[in-house]
Amino acid sequence: MTDRLSQRVSTLTIFLVLLVVDCSYQLGVRHLTWVDGLCVAVPEAALCTAILMLTTRLDLARVTVCYLALPYLLFLPSWLNLPAALIVSTVFLYCLTRTLLVTTAGRHDTVTMRDLGAFVLVLVWVNLSGAGGYGFQTTDYAIHNARLLDLIDYAWPVRYGKDQNFVFYMGYFLPSAVVGKLTSYAVALRSMYVWTVLGAVLALRWMSHSSGWRFSAGLVAVFALFGPMDILNVLTLSPRSAASLGNASAEMLSNPDVLDFRTSDYLGFFLGNFLSNTYQLYWSPHQVISGWLAAGLMTHLFLMKQTTSFVFVYSLLCVWAPLVMIALLPFVITAAAFHWFHDRCSVITIENSLGAGSLAAVFVIFYAAGSGSANPSFWIMGALEGGYRKAWALVLFYLFAWGVYAAAVTPFVWRSESRYRVWFSCLVVTMGLLPLWSFGEWSDLLCRGSAPLMFLLLVFILRATRHYWSGNRRATAVGLLCLLLSGAGSALLQIRMALLNYGRTRSVRSIVTYSHAYPNLGPDDTLFEKLLRRSLPERPRSERGGAPPRQHP
């Protein structure tokens, strides 16, 4: 069986297998006719074949850098005025070229049956997420779809009227928005599925590369199901009676938030959580995919001593996920401090200084023109009132969110090479500090910033499992894998919800029609508007001869 899984698969075979899978889906799930099903399945199978070949045969680090860099090639000339765009774009392209020349992580010569099986499972996982208008779209997709629609219908930079400028981290949406401007919203929405699959496969490739596990269906399943041990939190905090536990179980099946945010119910304010990978993908792909990729790539660069572009790679998150950047900032500081005493010339480079600095300056000014200051924020220790019970709930939160996992792998890490110990120590400290400051109406800093941290935690768990298994300590390895099962509840509930509501998507209308649109809008009298913004008429494309702004079912 292992030999068959390791056998090379030709490109034609990959295409035919994916074509059969896609045709079965189009005919059996979407109930299209044979003609319509083939018309959709053939290009999708071709694109998916290209993704699998791209992420296998080309260098993983370079493909990841290109994936993260692409939105800048769209944003910089479209949002900035001509002088700023020329300067920043020139610096960016120069640093990007230098980064691609020196950054490498290896590649595979062949695609195997194991790769193909893992890839098909990724396709299913992403399909259920709602990306591309398939599967089940969570409530957050109402605003996700609106962002894509407005990026298509309005000229860039998007402006709705007086004191209504679109200010948001839009890296995830920009490539599909370009597709939509050239075709239609429907095509752009479908392209989001392909774009998300590419990001998810790259993330799984980094998990494989960093953990030492093969890219396989088993790794995809572990990654998709990994999350905090919230079921233990629920069991500990719930009243000790069969009726209470039965009620809690029934609530979780109808509303997974009961499991994911149980601690918040006890604290009296919304704390957030270190969420499962499936929860993150199904609710916020626009932030977490880039976080996973940055965590994998930054870890590789640190461990392989390839630090000449380390800060520049980190700065590629600017247009993708600034909250994720905050969560990863301690790792940048740690890497810079560690190499400062060994080889400071590898830290002070054009890419790390001029390249990262120019991007940071532009996006600090850009986001300062938005609604960041209007978001609620506070120190949770100052809001923690109520004595012993609430303090105990917070202790359990830390323990079951990541504390037990970290304790289980600490013996392995402490026998590892010094760079692993440094990276793991930074991870533990960051996970301890991140929840202390609540930012955003729904604790966005913790909920989204935790994505790369949970990615790294899983890397250490899988490395430890592999080490114990190969060292004939298989009982310990199995124990770690069983420990992961206790954290699968959130992901399983999200997948169950997606299956039960498959095909339910969100209607689409412009951002400004939403009552809670303020996080996406910024005023006129800002430094970005005065110094950097490209000047365009306020009218939407419809008033300049294009299609009108649309509302989709």
Side-chain angles (χ1 to χ4, degrees), residues 226-238 252 256-264 272-276 279 396-402 405 454 483-491 493:
F226 179 64
M229 296 183 287
D230 288 325
I231 188 63
L232 300 182
N233 209 354
V234 170
L235 294 175
T236 305
L237 293 177
S238 298
M252 283 188 289
D257 285 358
V258 174
L259 178 66
D260 292 307
F261 305 112
R262 186 69 168 181
T263 304
S264 298
N273 200 358
F274 292 85
L275 297 163
S276 68
Y279 188 104
L396 292 177
F397 166 77
Y398 273 98
L399 184 66
F400 294 134
W402 58 268
Y405 289 136
M454 294 294 280
L483 196 62
L484 292 177
L485 290 176
S486 63
S490 170
L493 288 176

Side-chain angles (χ1 to χ4, degrees), residues 77-262:
S78 302
W79 245 260
L80 305 185
N81 57 44
L82 183 59
L86 287 174
I87 294 172
V88 180
S89 296
T90 300
V91 172
F92 176 76
L93 289 172
Y94 177 73
C95 294
L96 177 62
T97 302
R98 287 173 60 97
T99 298
L100 291 173
L101 289 175
V102 301
T103 304
T104 180
R107 62 184 181 84
H108 298 277
D109 294 328
T110 61
V111 179
T112 66
M113 286 297 297
R114 181 181 289 106
D115 295 320
L116 182 56
F119 183 73
V120 171
L121 189 56
V122 174
L123 294 178
V124 174
W125 186 46
V126 175
N127 179 278
L128 289 172
S129 74
Y134 305 108
F136 167 60
Q137 292 189 332
T138 60
T139 53
D140 277 10
Y141 263 94
I143 197 71
H144 296 339
N145 294 339
R147 293 178 186 124
L148 178 61
L149 177 70
D150 287 352
L151 285 170
I152 294 171
D153 279 349
Y154 285 82
W156 295 356
V158 175
R159 188 167 190 265
Y160 304 100
K162 181 177 174 56
D163 290 324
Q164 289 188 320
N165 300 289
F166 183 48
V167 181
F168 195 74
Y169 25 96
M170 62 191 80
Y172 174 75
F173 302 97
L174 289 177
S176 292
V178 171
V179 172
K181 283 184 177 294
L182 297 175
T183 55
S184 66
Y185 172 82
V187 175
L189 183 63
R190 298 308 185 204
S191 73
M192 294 294 287
Y193 174 71
V194 177
W195 184 238
T196 306
V197 167
L198 176 56
V201 173
L202 287 173
L204 265 300
R205 285 289 186 186
W206 277 115
M207 181 56 64
S208 171
H209 180 86
S210 302
S211 67
W213 282 42
R214 292 172 175 173
F215 181 65
S216 62
L219 178 64
V220 175
V222 169
F223 184 84
L225 296 178
F226 179 64
M229 296 183 287
D230 288 325
I231 188 63
L232 300 182
N233 209 354
V234 170
L235 294 175
T236 305
L237 293 177
S238 298
R240 307 291 179 84
S241 68
S244 298
L245 293 177
N247 291 336
S249 300
E251 283 185 278
M252 283 188 289
L253 290 176
S254 61
N255 180 17
D257 285 358
V258 174
L259 178 66
D260 292 307
F261 305 112
R262 186 69 168 181

Side-chain angles (χ1 to χ4, degrees), residues 7-14 17 53 110-114 116:
Q7 288 178 352
R8 178 180 178 178
V9 184
S10 68
T11 304
L12 178 60
T13 301
I14 294 171
V17 170
M53 300 300 294
T110 61
V111 179
T112 66
M113 286 297 297
R114 181 181 289 106
L116 182 56

Side-chain angles (χ1 to χ4, degrees), residues 23 33-44:
C23 281
T33 64
W34 274 101
V35 174
D36 291 340
L38 280 173
C39 289
V40 174
V42 169
E44 285 190 354

